[in-house]
Amino acid sequence: MKKSRFFSFIAFFLLLTGNFHSFAAELPYAKIKNLYNEGELEKIRVTLEDFLKKSGKDSETKERIFAYKYLGVIYAAEPQGYPLAETYFYQLLSLAPNAHISDLYASASVEDVFIRTRERFRNVNKDISEFDEFGNPRNKLNMGRPAVDTTLKKQVEPSPKPGPISPKGKPLKKESRIRVWPWVVGIGVVGAVAGYFWFSTEEKAPPTRIPAN
């Protein structure tokens, strides 16, 4: 008898925990839309904020998207409601990055608040996805490397290499690239050819005759 009661209690407990969400507050979508068409923005604000407070994390994603959208539009329409409007719009975009408020036919000022929040949301996520907290690019090839210094560095010309050193510690003089011996040989050849032609063209003088006694 005790065992049957125990198992009955366990079954009831599991059934209760499994269907806990069904006992939680449900978001009245139709009622909110009707109130919005009638301009009852204050009633919508109270209903949605009470729903988010009571349901908390147990609410579904689509319920929170719906609540954040309407609350953002309601606060954006108020003169001092910009901070809360931006907060709700940012939470909306965090759950649905492609969300819009076109279906609520909001005024231009409300639309402007949403556009600015969406631009800020996209810029923040772009920076986070491309760079880490130290400003280093999140590239696999650059993981663990510091940020590249893009400042211009002065180019230093390389200093000339020192020449060979003599055994006494004095630098050796470079040998002249102009060699002397080819010039000496050339001058000798030219002199020899000139002398040959000079002797070959010279007329020999006739021999001197001695008269006989």
Side-chain angles (χ1 to χ4, degrees), residues 68-129:
Y68 294 152
K69 177 189 287 191
Y70 275 82
L71 287 172
V73 170
I74 291 172
Y75 278 106
E78 298 179 358
Q80 305 298 328
Y82 177 81
L84 285 174
E86 186 180 32
T87 300
Y88 282 121
F89 282 150
Y90 204 92
Q91 290 176 320
L92 166 65
L93 293 169
S94 299
L95 296 177
N98 297 322
H100 60 85
I101 60 173
S102 301
D103 56 324
L104 300 184
Y105 302 99
S107 63
S109 59
V110 174
E111 188 76 26
D112 184 60
V113 174
F114 177 76
I115 291 174
R116 281 184 290 175
T117 306
R118 183 175 60 186
E119 188 69 21
R120 174 173 168 266
F121 172 81
R122 291 176 177 177
N123 290 336
V124 170
N125 282 272
K126 181 181 179 182
D127 292 340
I128 294 175
S129 62

Side-chain angles (χ1 to χ4, degrees), residues 21 25-29 48 51-52 55-56 58-69 95:
H21 184 72
E26 294 183 359
L27 187 64
Y29 293 98
L48 292 178
F51 167 78
L52 292 174
S55 62
D58 295 322
S59 60
E60 297 181 358
T61 302
K62 65 178 183 179
E63 292 176 333
R64 281 177 286 166
I65 291 174
F66 185 89
Y68 294 152
K69 177 189 287 191
L95 296 177

Side-chain angles (χ1 to χ4, degrees), residues 157-193:
E157 295 182 359
S159 58
K161 296 180 180 180
I165 305 299
S166 65
K168 295 182 179 181
K170 296 182 180 181
L172 296 175
K173 295 183 179 180
K174 294 183 178 180
E175 296 182 357
S176 176
R177 294 182 180 180
I178 302 176
R179 298 175 180 264
V180 179
W181 67 266
W183 291 93
V184 174
V185 174
I187 293 174
V189 172
V190 172
V193 173

